[in-house]
Amino acid sequence: MNDTFDNFKMDNVEADGTTSLVVDLDGYEGPIDMLLDLARQQKVDLLNISILRLAEQYLKFIEEAHKLKLEIAADYLVMAAWLAYLKSRLLLPEEENDEELSGPQMADALAFQLRRLQAMQEAGSNIMQLPRLGKDIFSRGFPEGIKVIRTPVYELSLFELLKAYGDHHSKGTADPLEIAPTEFYSVDDALERLTPFLGKILDWSKLQTFLPDSVKNDVIYKSIVASTFAASLELAKSGQLEIRQSDTFSPIYFRSKTEGFN
Amino acid sequence: MSEYLSALRITEAILFAAPEPMTEAALAERIPSNVSISLVLGELSKNYADRGVNLKAVGGRWAFRTAPDLASFLEIEIKVNRKLSRAAVETLAIIGYHQPITRGEIEEIRGVSLSRGTLDLLLELEWIRPVGKRKTPGRPVTWGTSQKFLENFNLNDIKDLPGTDELKAAGLLDKRPTSSIFGEVALKIEEENTERVSDGI
Amino acid sequence: MSEYLSALRITEAILFAAPEPMTEAALAERIPSNVSISLVLGELSKNYADRGVNLKAVGGRWAFRTAPDLASFLEIEIKVNRKLSRAAVETLAIIGYHQPITRGEIEEIRGVSLSRGTLDLLLELEWIRPVGKRKTPGRPVTWGTSQKFLENFNLNDIKDLPGTDELKAAGLLDKRPTSSIFGEVALKIEEENTERVSDGI
């Protein structure tokens, strides 16, 4: 936003005509920074600064800038609006209002912000005056270094050893492929189980009632449900079973298909 | 040679040879176990206090450094130090004294939105680092100074920053937003700032 | 501070910070002109003679160097866990099962030639040892496993290595990957296999 004010200077002659105030916006870091600079020019301790006077100076500056038809960044205008409001609050008698801060409280808040920013600006220049490494103080120019010796440690488990041997062994030999029997329930298993019931399911009965009792674990149970459902579709297709499900995810019911019932 | 003397020599040699400052723990590992490393470091820093080279704790680690008063004799080559902008110096100070602090809080204190390159530059210098996230909506990143910052400015601890106690006593290390007191107008400023910030990203 | 003392401190700081050894002439330029640099260097090297760091002239140039007797303290030994290459593990397994075996025979079994370092590494780890010579032309060395091999794999005797049948029973001679779609059942099967393997030890 500073480029708006490039090389712009203005003289602000105080009401008492003694202090000549030079405002150079080039290089200001925003309205608070500018207010802080105006405050410094009052040459009093920030603790005793007259916020009212500061607000007036700021507003005067904005007014002058407007006269010169300078484009002013929004931040500065918002600050001007706020300061104008603050000024009115400071000048007018306070109304009883619990929700809003009083004029003096608002002025205190601004004074605090100015003091805090000033403190940080000073702190910044103090930090930059500390002796700096590589500028004022130096570290060892030619550190010999600490030599790091890496000793490799190889870890191999018997399992890895045997696995390597096994992998290698099976690479060369053409063993017949043995498929381990699975504990999963096949569609054939389900068909076998459902067939005896065919023609005997007179009323709608839940799919679950047709499942074997001794189910070992969840995965197997799921496979049984899936296989039984697949088998029931098969049976329905061949006209031996009717299936009903009223809604998605709701229970599935079977019933024997009775001849000529339709 | 006594074990204590031996520990002194070893510590001295390691600190001379190490390219980076070393922690007490790392040094303690290398000296006879019945010798106190703090005692050794205490004696060494006393030995070197008046010499051309001093033993210093920087950022909680130990290193030899040339004595600060000899700066003018050591300008072997003219280093071109990039001059930091006012905004960068101010931001660095704010982060140094108020850490952990979010970008938004820095902007509150400075009363202006941070321009694009400021944090980037400090980050590039490795003087600041993200230290966490504020548990507020949006979970903004909080910033703090780095080990390298302490080493660069020859500080042992962030508490050694000049004037910390005075600033604290004066209540100036309070990062509460003054804008909350500014009322609606301030809210408007904030919104605009926020927009500008997000535009800039 | 006397000029002599000042010269001592400056020389000390310069030699510490200099990136390379420095000539007397270059040092002389930086100290008060009425102080003799040889005197300064003489005193400094005497000061540092018994310390962890010594001031030495090498080829007419001066530099601080850590004391030679402390070299071992300036080393850090780090143990790095490394994985053996597939070839090495396979070779070791083949030696374990087929010992005594020559290099040529290993290559025949593996169907590829052994790279240079493989046997060397196993030998260096002391897991294998030469056990004799084959009475064939060229009298090639035969290899076998060592006591350390047995210790490493917690075996009492090389005969305790599971036989081919046992390996097959454990699924280790089966290339089929255990499919993840079998879910928990497969995991259970795998666990059982693993148990069976450890039972076999």
Side-chain angles (χ1 to χ4, degrees), chain B residues 76-109:
Chain B
I76 297 163
E77 57 204 281
I78 296 152
K79 303 225 176 203
V80 187
N81 279 305
R82 190 150 35 143
K83 197 154 160 51
L84 286 180
S85 69
R86 247 189 74 188
V89 173
E90 237 172 83
T91 304
L92 180 65
I94 291 169
I95 294 174
Y97 288 89
H98 292 264
Q99 60 189 303
I101 189 168
T102 66
R103 183 192 184 104
E105 288 160 351
I106 297 169
E107 290 175 339
E108 285 285 352
I109 292 177

Side-chain angles (χ1 to χ4, degrees), chain A residues 4-220:
Chain A
T4 322
F5 298 93
D6 263 352
N7 307 317
F8 171 64
K9 282 190 179 189
M10 75 182 245
D11 290 320
N12 187 350
V13 181
E14 290 291 285
D16 59 6
T18 50
T19 321
S20 176
L21 182 64
V22 178
V23 178
D24 178 3
L25 263 177
D26 186 24
Y28 276 128
E29 299 276 341
I32 297 287
D33 187 40
M34 181 180 151
L35 269 174
L36 184 57
D37 191 58
L38 288 172
R40 285 201 193 99
Q41 293 179 41
Q42 285 192 20
K43 295 197 170 81
V44 291
D45 192 314
L46 268 185
L47 282 168
N48 304 313
I49 195 81
S50 162
I51 293 293
L52 183 60
R53 198 165 141 208
L54 199 58
E56 280 166 349
Q57 284 180 337
Y58 186 95
L59 292 170
K60 180 131 194 247
F61 162 76
I62 294 294
E63 195 185 314
E64 291 294 325
H66 267 309
K67 268 187 213 155
L68 293 168
K69 293 198 166 43
L70 283 167
E71 208 185 307
I72 297 176
D75 279 3
Y76 289 80
L77 294 178
V78 171
M79 181 54 84
W82 188 80
L83 287 173
Y85 176 66
L86 173 63
K87 188 179 151 189
S88 70
R89 290 289 303 273
L90 287 171
L91 292 174
L92 296 171
E94 285 293 326
E95 289 169 26
E96 282 296 320
N97 187 344
D98 289 341
E99 284 174 20
E100 235 180 306
L101 291 165
S102 68
Q105 278 172 323
M106 288 163 69
D108 282 349
L110 178 60
F112 170 76
Q113 175 140 15
L114 291 173
R115 283 205 309 281
R116 183 170 63 180
L117 182 61
Q118 167 163 275
M120 285 303 113
Q121 289 179 352
E122 283 170 7
S125 72
N126 287 340
I127 289 176
M128 297 322 276
Q129 275 162 28
L130 289 171
R132 295 259 293 275
L133 184 66
K135 179 168 165 280
D136 307 303
I137 57 169
F138 295 85
S139 61
R140 180 87 174 102
F142 185 71
E144 288 151 85
I146 311 272
K147 209 197 281 169
V148 177
I149 300 167
R150 289 172 202 279
T151 324
V153 178
Y154 290 95
E155 275 172 11
L156 182 66
S157 68
L158 185 64
F159 176 77
E160 289 169 292
L161 182 76
L162 298 179
K163 186 92 178 60
Y165 187 70
D167 284 352
H168 161 72
H169 200 275
S170 27
K171 229 190 310 183
T173 52
D175 279 345
L177 177 66
E178 286 171 33
I179 297 172
T182 70
E183 295 172 66
F184 296 128
Y185 210 66
S186 69
V187 176
D188 286 340
D189 291 336
L191 270 175
E192 203 173 297
R193 190 173 174 83
L194 282 178
T195 312
F197 294 103
L198 289 171
K200 295 175 192 159
I201 319 167
L202 301 177
D203 217 344
W204 286 110
S205 311
K206 261 193 193 175
L207 183 153
Q208 277 76 5
T209 54
F210 299 95
L211 305 184
D213 297 327
S214 55
V215 177
K216 286 180 202 155
N217 69 34
D218 199 38
V219 180
I220 303 234

Side-chain angles (χ1 to χ4, degrees), chain C residues 109-128:
Chain C
I109 291 176
R110 293 192 62 230
V112 283
S113 58
L114 263 183
S115 75
R116 209 187 175 79
T118 311
L119 279 182
D120 290 359
L121 177 63
L122 294 174
L123 195 59
E124 193 184 307
L125 290 168
E126 293 175 56
W127 282 347
I128 62 167

Side-chain angles (χ1 to χ4, degrees), chain C residues 7-66:
Chain C
L8 272 179
R9 292 182 74 235
I10 293 167
T11 308
E12 199 174 24
I14 290 173
L15 285 170
F16 170 83
E20 50 190 32
M22 296 199 57
T23 60
E24 279 198 29
L27 289 166
E29 273 175 30
R30 282 155 210 281
I31 62 166
S33 57
N34 53 345
V35 180
S36 147
I37 188 67
S38 331
L39 224 58
V40 167
L41 288 168
E43 171 145 359
L44 278 179
S45 36
K46 217 172 69 196
N47 280 174
Y48 279 94
D50 298 325
R51 312 203 59 138
V53 172
N54 306 147
L55 182 56
K56 297 267 190 181
V58 187
R61 287 159 188 266
W62 292 82
F64 279 116
R65 285 285 179 268
T66 50

